[in-house]
Amino acid sequence: MKKLRFFLPIQLVLGLLISAPSLAATKLDVTGKGMVSVAPDEATITAQVSLVDRDAGKAQARASQEVDAMLAAIQLFSLKPDSLNASELSLVPEYRWDRATEQQRFIGFRVTRTVSFTVTEIDRLGAALSALANTGATSISSPVLGSSNAESARDEALAKAVEDAYKKLTLLAKAAGMSLTTITQISEIASVLPRPQPALMRAEMALDSASSATIVAGNLTFAAEVRLEAEAE
């Protein structure tokens, strides 16, 4: 029986030999983190007026008077343009359980008006809270601190995350006696941080003066995380 022999063209053999190192490239996969802290320069405040009256029209009128007083008070402070919103209103009937008759008893209509705005004077934040409390706000949420430089801070944090990941890639390759050849993929890792619910400050705990409303604002931290994939030889 004759043996069959196969001959490969010399060009194909050389091509396989030349491409062999690229097939053996080592893949690296790391994550990097970046953080930037900035001082807050603005704060968003949300306050409510909530009251009950057996007459729905009178309830709304009373609530409107309280809101007008609040709006007049906050005009003394520097507000972020287009941040003021006083249009939110709710009107619902309210009942109370009567144990004697074992029936629901109509109490009246509860009207709730909400006012929200952003102040750009952090050093006067306490005074703004006092002004709201003294003009009839029945509840005031904890101020939400912010920064007018938030976007640039996020960008800086993202750049630091990429720098951190690239540094890790370089260290891994060097430790293994290799060198980076190319970065094959860069992706941002979205992270959701838990946000605490704001505590309400009731009217009976209202601040009587700006001096009693000293608020120490800490820095805001912006964080970013990325994943880098690369090849090394």
Side-chain angles (χ1 to χ4, degrees):
M1 180 180 294
K2 294 183 178 181
K3 295 183 178 180
L4 297 178
R5 295 181 180 180
F6 297 92
F7 296 93
L8 297 175
I10 187 65
Q11 294 88 348
L12 179 59
V13 174
L14 291 176
L16 293 173
L17 291 176
I18 293 174
S19 62
S22 62
L23 294 177
T26 300
K27 293 184 178 181
L28 303 178
D29 186 352
V30 301
T31 59
K33 296 181 179 181
M35 297 180 65
V36 174
S37 294
V38 296
D41 57 9
E42 60 185 33
T44 299
I45 302 173
T46 301
Q48 288 186 332
V49 172
S50 184
L51 53 86
V52 177
D53 196 293
R54 296 188 66 86
D55 185 290
K58 290 182 179 180
Q60 294 184 68
R62 289 172 53 197
S64 295
Q65 290 179 355
E66 300 289 352
V67 169
D68 289 343
M70 292 166 57
L71 294 177
I74 63 178
Q75 293 304 318
L76 301 176
F77 303 92
S78 177
L79 305 184
K80 186 175 182 179
D82 301 324
S83 67
L84 179 60
N85 184 5
S87 61
E88 187 175 341
L89 179 149
S90 69
L91 175 64
V92 293
E94 187 163 308
Y95 299 87
R96 181 177 299 170
W97 181 255
D98 191 330
R99 294 183 178 180
T101 61
E102 294 187 350
Q103 290 181 344
Q104 293 278 18
R105 184 165 59 90
F106 177 69
I107 301 299
F109 292 94
R110 177 170 292 279
V111 175
T112 302
R113 291 284 304 273
T114 302
V115 177
S116 62
F117 58 94
T118 300
V119 294
T120 56
E121 300 170 300
I122 291 295
D123 57 334
R124 300 191 65 197
L125 179 55
L129 297 176
S130 296
L132 290 171
N134 292 332
T135 52
T138 54
S139 66
I140 304 174
S141 65
S142 296
V144 178
L145 301 179
S147 171
S148 58
N149 300 313
E151 185 174 355
S152 60
R154 292 190 188 95
D155 291 344
E156 185 179 352
L158 187 60
K160 286 188 175 183
V162 174
E163 182 181 351
D164 180 51
Y166 186 79
K167 181 179 179 181
K168 290 180 180 179
L169 285 174
T170 304
L171 289 174
L172 287 175
K174 183 177 180 180
M178 299 183 293
S179 60
L180 294 177
T181 57
T182 183
I183 295 177
T184 58
Q185 184 174 349
I186 303 177
S187 58
E188 183 180 3
I189 301 174
S191 58
V192 180
L193 300 178
R195 181 178 178 180
Q197 294 296 323
L200 294 180
M201 179 181 62
R202 295 297 175 183
E204 58 265 27
M205 299 173 62
L207 305 172
D208 295 326
S209 63
S211 61
S212 65
T214 302
I215 294 178
V216 180
N219 286 340
L220 302 173
T221 300
F222 297 87
E225 186 174 5
V226 299
R227 168 171 280 123
L228 262 65
E229 297 179 9
E231 292 184 353
E233 295 181 354

